[in-house]
Amino acid sequence: MTETSRFIRYAHRVRRTRRTRYVLAAALTLTGLLFPAVSAVADSDVPAASAGPASAGAAAADGHIDPVDNRTDPAGWIADAEAQAAAAEAQASDDGQASDDGQVPDGAQAPDDAQAPDETGFPGTDDAATFPEDAAVAPRVFKGRGFDTCQAPDLATMRAWRASSPYRAVGIYFGGRARACKTQRNLTNNWVQQTTAAGWSLLPIYVGSQSPCVRGSNKNPFRIDPQRATAQGTSEGADAAKAAGALGMKRGSALYLDMEAYDLRKASCANATLSFVRAWDRQVRARGYVPGFYSSADSGIAHMEKARRAGTSDLPGAIWYARWGVAPTLTAEPVLRPSAWASHSRIHQYTGAVTETHGGHKLSIDRDLIDAPVAKL
């Protein structure tokens, strides 16, 4: 049985059991659309979101409680994935997606070497959690410290770093035509299985087509064609899901699109970039994965936040912002409002291109502070 057909059967089954809840939710949503004044918030350029968890609201500088925007909350993607079932049925059924084994999601696990919280308030070990929805598509969240490096390290290095470094998550460049380290000699299905079994959480990174006004000259050969931005985003989103599935990453895994710094002041360039990102997000989401987005805080992240405030749909479910030379923070990024990607949906890359040695193994890495979805196996 193909992945798509199983997904359709699952979605139809859930629809029957949750029909009453969805009808009510749809009615409330329609009420908000027809009578926006009822649900308006203090900042008129930010559309009101549906009520999230009891603790979801975040206080803005003026004391106003800015509700979490459910369009960018991974916990809300369960119902959305079900709504995408009809679209998924039209996709090619045998495209290498990860299989659904029906297992329950990874539960919160007590760390085996817990440490006292560090200066960021995070313990030195992982604090895994999952959203309390269906296991097939529910994201798995990692909270703690991680790193990313161009080439996936060999297993001996991963074992040494697991035993002696403060990191418990690692970014892996698993696909994309603009990927710098195209030959990932260590990154195999077996590597993914073994590192995960050893206690690592994985952050899958896809370096696809880049903005037409990308600043890095090494990315110029891979720029988005403004005339084909949506088509390219759709095609590359499908490729990302297929590549993730080939490595054993199940539905519910987060896949992070890497969009290097670009000049968002150029309207035509910004529009093409956003069209690409939204199409990539739609395709990744339709296949059961959580689309994430990595970029510099002052370009791509500021662009996504501007789109969020404007009410744009199909935005990333998690963001990974690069702002180097500052203290690591998941709450005080200047370009983001407190409500933006506030529910287990942020990663801060706070230092780049540093060399560290742990257990006798040296790597050049970027450092990350994480509270966001990771890969599921």
Side-chain angles (χ1 to χ4, degrees):
M1 183 182 295
T2 66
E3 174 66 18
T4 300
S5 62
R6 276 192 292 207
F7 188 23
I8 298 304
R9 290 178 58 194
Y10 158 75
H12 288 186
R13 184 171 70 253
V14 175
R15 282 199 190 92
R16 288 196 298 271
T17 60
R18 299 182 182 175
R19 185 173 300 157
T20 301
R21 188 181 71 180
Y22 286 163
V23 168
L24 178 58
L28 292 173
T29 301
L30 182 59
T31 301
L33 292 172
L34 294 175
F35 304 99
V38 175
S39 58
V41 295
D43 297 306
S44 59
D45 62 333
V46 181
S50 304
S55 61
D62 59 2
H64 166 67
I65 300 300
D66 200 2
V68 169
D69 188 341
N70 285 342
R71 289 173 297 120
T72 57
D73 183 358
W77 289 48
I78 310 312
D80 189 69
E82 294 163 0
Q84 294 285 344
E89 190 170 15
Q91 301 294 331
S93 62
D94 188 14
D95 59 0
Q97 296 179 30
S99 62
D100 174 14
D101 61 5
Q103 295 180 358
V104 297
D106 302 324
Q109 301 176 357
D112 56 5
D113 53 354
Q115 301 174 15
D118 59 19
E119 68 275 10
T120 65
F122 283 174
T125 57
D126 62 287
D127 179 14
T130 53
F131 294 101
E133 293 287 350
D134 186 85
V137 290
R140 179 179 182 273
V141 167
F142 169 84
K143 184 177 181 181
R145 292 187 179 273
F147 71 93
D148 57 278
T149 186
C150 189
Q151 182 75 241
D154 58 48
L155 288 172
T157 300
M158 295 302 295
R159 285 192 290 269
W161 277 52
R162 180 64 178 82
S164 57
S165 82
Y167 306 112
R168 296 294 179 266
V170 57
I172 53 172
Y173 290 85
F174 76 99
R177 72 190 191 104
R179 181 172 53 169
C181 293
K182 297 183 185 298
T183 303
Q184 292 282 335
R185 57 184 177 272
N186 298 316
L187 187 55
T188 64
N189 190 294
N190 179 63
W191 186 95
V192 168
Q193 295 289 338
Q194 289 207 42
T195 53
T196 302
W200 287 101
S201 290
L202 307 182
L203 293 161
I205 306 165
Y206 186 89
V207 193
S209 294
Q210 298 294 295
S211 175
C213 49
V214 63
R215 289 174 177 158
S217 59
N218 62 322
K219 300 299 183 185
N220 283 343
F222 310 105
R223 287 179 292 183
I224 298 165
D225 179 353
Q227 302 303 316
R228 299 181 57 252
T230 296
Q232 284 182 300
T234 299
S235 175
E236 294 184 32
D239 179 63
K242 183 175 181 179
L247 288 172
M249 299 177 198
K250 296 179 181 178
R251 291 184 298 126
S253 295
L255 310 180
Y256 290 86
L257 175 64
D258 183 329
M259 190 68 66
E260 295 298 313
Y262 57 95
D263 189 352
L264 60 89
R265 296 170 299 177
K266 297 180 179 179
S268 60
C269 173
N271 290 340
T273 305
L274 184 58
S275 293
F276 176 92
V277 172
R278 295 179 66 209
W280 194 91
D281 291 348
R282 283 193 297 270
Q283 190 64 210
V284 168
R285 184 190 302 181
R287 292 166 183 260
Y289 293 91
V290 176
F293 181 77
Y294 166 89
S295 191
S296 64
D298 290 325
S299 63
I301 301 304
H303 191 187
M304 293 304 112
E305 171 66 339
K306 180 179 179 181
R308 186 193 70 87
R309 295 184 194 182
T312 303
S313 62
D314 299 318
L315 295 180
I319 55 168
W320 186 342
Y321 48 91
R323 187 179 294 282
W324 296 359
V326 299
T329 177
L330 295 172
T331 58
E333 168 48 46
V335 305
L336 295 173
R337 290 189 177 176
S339 61
W341 292 276
S343 179
H344 302 296
S345 305
R346 293 189 181 192
I347 302 173
H348 179 197
Q349 185 185 86
Y350 58 93
T351 304
V354 296
T355 299
E356 292 189 24
T357 301
H358 298 283
H361 293 257
K362 182 187 297 186
L363 290 175
S364 176
I365 66 168
D366 301 330
R367 297 169 180 155
D368 305 291
L369 186 63
I370 305 159
D371 182 4
V374 294
K376 288 180 62 178
L377 271 68

